[in-house]
Amino acid sequence: MAILRSKEIWEMEYEEIQEKLLELKSELSKNVSKSAASGVVENPGNIRELKRTIARVLTIMNEKEKEN
């Protein structure tokens, strides 16, 4: 999955953002469980970037809620 930038998230509708958030969370859980099962982290940068993107999405969702 491509990492989302702030500008891209702001252009989305609220429902789209919620769907994307679910996708990101499921991808993160897959990566974390895969690394926990094998004991070796394939790409630690990917997990870090997913966490940052989830935080970015949640922040923008909160800001959009405050606007309305």
Side-chain angles (χ1 to χ4, degrees), residues 4-63:
L4 298 172
R5 299 293 169 218
S6 296
K7 183 178 179 182
E8 296 169 347
I9 300 169
W10 274 108
E11 293 172 354
M12 292 181 182
E13 295 295 323
Y14 192 79
E15 292 77 25
E16 289 178 281
I17 296 173
Q18 288 177 327
E19 291 173 14
K20 195 58 80 169
L21 180 62
L22 291 175
E23 290 175 23
L24 289 167
K25 284 184 176 182
S26 66
E27 186 176 345
L28 177 63
S29 67
K30 286 179 193 175
N31 286 343
V32 169
S33 64
K34 189 188 317 181
S35 66
S38 66
V40 177
V41 180
E42 266 183 43
N43 189 355
N46 189 26
I47 292 174
R48 181 180 182 192
E49 192 62 38
L50 281 170
K51 288 180 179 181
R52 286 183 174 185
T53 304
I54 290 171
R56 186 179 299 123
V57 168
L58 289 172
T59 300
I60 292 174
M61 281 178 67
N62 285 332
E63 288 177 9

